[in-house]
Amino acid sequence: MSALRLLAEDGSDEILRELLVDRLAKIGIVIVGLLLLGVGMALIWRRVSRRG
């Protein structure tokens, strides 16, 4: 966090914004992936439960 603090004191807001946007994009990709995995598992579970 000290590197981020130094960047903030330096006045490079653009770099901080890019870092935050990059982190948020990665978190968003993980969340969407987990949601898709959950939907896929639910669909598979429905098909399996119908047969049995």
Side-chain angles (χ1 to χ4, degrees):
M1 290 301 262
S2 61
L4 290 176
R5 203 170 289 144
L6 286 174
L7 284 173
E9 291 172 358
D10 192 24
S12 6
D13 290 335
E14 291 181 25
I15 296 173
L16 278 176
R17 276 193 211 117
E18 287 182 20
L19 287 173
L20 288 175
V21 167
D22 188 43
R23 181 174 287 177
L24 288 175
K26 288 178 183 176
I27 292 171
I29 289 170
V30 169
I31 290 173
V32 168
L34 289 174
L35 285 174
L36 289 174
L37 182 66
V39 168
M41 292 294 285
L43 290 174
I44 290 171
W45 189 258
R46 280 188 183 175
R47 286 187 181 173
V48 169
S49 64
R50 285 183 189 169
R51 290 182 187 169

